[in-house]
Amino acid sequence: MPDRLVLLGSKGGPALRPGGPWPSSSLLQIGGRSIVVDCGLGVTRGLVDAGISLKSLDLIFITHLHSDHVLELGPLIHTAWTAGLATPVGVFGPPGTGHYWRRFCQAMEFDIEIRIVDEGRPDIRDLVSIGEFGEGQVVAQGGLTVSALRVEHPPVTDCFALRFEHGGKSVVFSGDTAFFPPLADFARGADILVHEAMVEEGIERLVARTGNGARLREHLLASHSFAEEAGSIASDAGVKRLVLNHLIPADDSLIGEADWTAAVRKTWNGDLTIARDGLVVGLSSTKAAAGEETV
């Protein structure tokens, strides 16, 4: 299994619009592990489209509990279970992740109980282990290490950047964050930095379409990063490739890849990927497949 990053859902925010991309989720395959990072709406379909057998679900990480990052966590695991999942799944997330999972199982109790009896399935509640984390090392197993850094995403306190390392390769996810200079040290020398991004010219149109104008604008400006700021973090960190993801807005017909590129090139001159749903970024030195970019 080649090491790769698959951007399953590339938009910031939970709203869906006709023809638009899906909210936040990614697949990181590294060191023989298949790791899901965030579970926004559409993650299950995205994994299937990426060629992943749901019954091989292994590790899941949640950066924070906003709905565009956690809404489909329970449905992903449940769908994998109905597809034949019978091996343990480790779920790691901020405080409150366990509460979400327990309540999901309560909501689905009728279906879970009847499938155990009628179809002979293992108890899904026994397959899933929940690990709630703060800053520092989260996982160290089989050569894989995962560490977390608390970032600035008010009013959410427990929002984390994540760094995955295995065999000398490293991938960092910024999580949702305002411009946060300490992230550069956390991402130092990474092969890939996946960083959220906004373009300023799209904010007013997004606010007008979504409603709740003044409050939504206030949240976006206080809690998220402009593309230029993501580029500054990547430059200071000396990463090999910057991937702009969790794009705000990602479904504005007047904003295209050239606009994202122009914004980030003010501060970043290195290898660059602008996310779109299903895009693959390779982590190996072998030739990239069609539609794939290689680090």
Side-chain angles (χ1 to χ4, degrees), residues 69-91:
H69 297 258
V70 75
L71 186 64
E72 204 170 302
L73 170 61
L76 167 60
I77 298 171
H78 186 279
T79 305
W81 180 63
T82 64
L85 177 71
T87 52
V89 177
V91 178

Side-chain angles (χ1 to χ4, degrees), residues 103-120:
R103 290 301 178 93
F104 174 82
C105 290
Q106 288 175 356
M108 295 299 296
E109 185 174 14
F110 173 83
D111 183 89
I112 291 170
E113 296 288 355
I114 205 166
R115 291 187 188 278
I116 291 171
V117 173
D118 183 47
E119 301 173 9

Side-chain angles (χ1 to χ4, degrees), residues 251-286:
D251 50 6
D252 188 324
S253 62
L254 299 179
I255 297 174
E257 187 167 318
D259 299 291
W260 291 101
T261 300
V264 75
R265 285 303 184 203
K266 298 173 185 177
T267 54
W268 170 252
N269 294 316
D271 290 341
L272 175 67
T273 297
I274 310 300
R276 63 179 185 272
D277 291 6
L279 184 66
V280 177
V281 182
L283 268 167
S284 66
S285 59
T286 57

Side-chain angles (χ1 to χ4, degrees), residues 53-203:
S53 170
L54 293 180
K55 66 181 182 180
S56 68
L57 198 62
D58 181 11
L59 285 173
I60 301 173
F61 287 82
I62 302 297
T63 59
H64 68 296
L65 295 180
H66 262 149
S67 61
D68 53 324
H69 297 258
V70 75
L71 186 64
E72 204 170 302
L73 170 61
L76 167 60
I77 298 171
H78 186 279
T79 305
W81 180 63
T82 64
L85 177 71
T87 52
V89 177
V91 178
F92 296 88
T97 304
H99 177 76
Y100 166 97
W101 173 246
R102 289 188 297 272
R103 290 301 178 93
F104 174 82
C105 290
Q106 288 175 356
M108 295 299 296
E109 185 174 14
F110 173 83
D111 183 89
I112 291 170
E113 296 288 355
I114 205 166
R115 291 187 188 278
I116 291 171
V117 173
D118 183 47
E119 301 173 9
R121 299 187 183 277
D123 193 327
I124 189 174
R125 293 159 293 200
D126 295 334
L127 294 178
V128 178
S129 63
I130 304 291
E132 296 186 345
F133 61 80
E135 282 195 315
Q137 189 174 90
V138 179
V139 168
Q141 54 180 243
L144 173 70
T145 62
V146 185
S147 53
L149 172 73
R150 190 184 306 275
V151 291
E152 293 288 335
H153 188 51
V156 179
T157 301
D158 292 318
C159 185
F160 296 93
L162 295 170
R163 182 176 182 123
F164 298 84
E165 298 180 277
H166 187 280
K169 297 175 184 177
S170 54
V171 178
V172 175
F173 294 81
S174 70
D176 282 12
T177 184
F179 178 58
F180 190 60
L183 183 57
D185 284 335
F186 185 71
R188 183 77 57 200
D191 292 291
I192 297 174
L193 169 62
V194 183
H195 200 295
E196 69 133 82
M198 299 188 296
V199 284
E200 187 169 5
E201 54 267 35
I203 297 301

